[in-house]
Amino acid sequence: MDDILLIVLSQTGTYVSRFIRLFTRKLYNHASVALNLSLEEIYSFCRTYRHLPLSATFNREFIGKGAFGLFLTIPCEIYAIRLDPAEKQEFLRYLEHFKKCRSRYSHNILGLCTTFFHIRWMRYWKLHCSEFVARLLEFTDVALEKSPSLYTPDDLCGLPELHMIYRGELNRYYAMRQRERLHISHPSLECEGVTQKS
């Protein structure tokens, strides 16, 4: 059975994000990968501490916490890519590598500049967020038109394999999915065949 992987593009409004936007002129300057529609597991290369842009490395992100918790309104676009079981297994295997080797990785700060100027510069243990996502896609046999080090968040949404499933506000999407999950986990009494008292 096929499965999906989600690519989340967002703009948190941190000083770093706003500084990057001055140069890119793009709406979204952060990219993450998520394992399910509820965004319960979402990963990227980002700041480790909520109020400090450094240190930054491979991290699990949480909606409403960290940089995502600093702002009530976070514009986003969410894209889905369908993977067959073998591709999904390869993705999970590579993701596990990042988890185990997290201490060896760090954020490719200088790579933000080289990407902006379209200069290819691969640094195995240093990645920026969209480079990380592009590298994961490459390992799941998604055909990339250029080096992962040259990908921006805006480039990712142009990949033909990706299909937009949501555009709007990230916290609102997350709350909607949480309500749906809660409804499925706790069906109404009527569904259990029990009549509620009026």
Side-chain angles (χ1 to χ4, degrees):
M1 181 179 177
D2 289 346
D3 209 339
I4 63 170
L5 174 70
L6 300 182
I7 309 300
V8 182
L9 307 183
S10 61
Q11 176 65 271
T12 60
T14 62
Y15 288 119
V16 174
S17 293
R18 283 183 281 177
F19 180 76
I20 294 173
R21 189 175 180 181
L22 284 175
F23 292 93
T24 65
R25 303 294 180 184
K26 303 297 183 182
L27 181 57
Y28 305 110
N29 291 303
H30 185 58
S32 313
V33 295
L35 303 188
N36 48 51
L37 290 169
S38 63
L39 304 188
E40 289 299 315
E41 279 196 67
I42 181 169
Y43 300 93
S44 187
F45 269 69
C46 56
R47 63 178 64 194
T48 300
Y49 303 105
R50 178 180 177 127
H51 293 287
L52 299 174
L54 296 176
S55 64
T57 184
F58 170 76
N59 285 301
R60 181 174 177 179
E61 298 180 292
F62 296 89
I63 308 303
K65 298 180 181 180
F68 283 147
L70 292 173
F71 304 93
L72 295 176
T73 302
I74 302 174
C76 77
E77 289 181 2
I78 301 176
Y79 293 82
I81 179 171
R82 188 168 295 280
L83 304 176
D84 64 32
E87 291 170 337
K88 185 63 175 288
Q89 191 63 34
E90 184 66 12
F91 166 80
L92 293 175
R93 185 185 70 82
Y94 199 54
L95 184 65
E96 191 63 27
H97 159 78
F98 279 100
K99 293 178 181 179
K100 290 181 178 180
C101 300
R102 178 179 177 273
S103 63
R104 301 186 65 181
Y105 280 99
S106 61
H107 197 284
N108 190 6
I109 302 296
L110 294 177
L112 295 174
C113 299
T114 56
T115 299
F116 178 76
F117 289 108
H118 308 289
I119 300 172
R120 183 183 184 276
W121 189 27
M122 294 287 289
R123 307 172 73 192
Y124 189 84
W125 297 108
K126 295 180 181 291
L127 297 90
H128 54 71
C129 62
S130 50
E131 180 183 7
F132 161 69
V133 174
R135 191 180 287 188
L136 283 178
L137 292 176
E138 185 177 51
F139 269 80
T140 55
D141 292 330
V142 173
L144 301 182
E145 297 180 348
K146 54 187 175 181
S147 166
S149 66
L150 295 176
Y151 271 83
T152 67
D154 193 60
D155 291 329
L156 292 170
C157 64
L159 293 172
E161 294 88 349
L162 270 60
H163 305 281
M164 184 190 293
I165 63 170
Y166 178 81
R167 175 191 288 150
E169 202 282 310
L170 184 61
N171 292 302
R172 182 177 300 173
Y173 172 88
Y174 182 71
M176 175 184 68
R177 288 298 181 181
Q178 291 301 303
R179 287 194 298 269
E180 291 175 356
R181 190 168 66 88
L182 186 64
H183 177 71
I184 293 172
S185 301
H186 300 85
S188 65
L189 289 177
E190 288 86 346
C191 293
E192 297 291 340
V194 178
T195 303
Q196 290 180 314
K197 293 182 181 179
S198 58

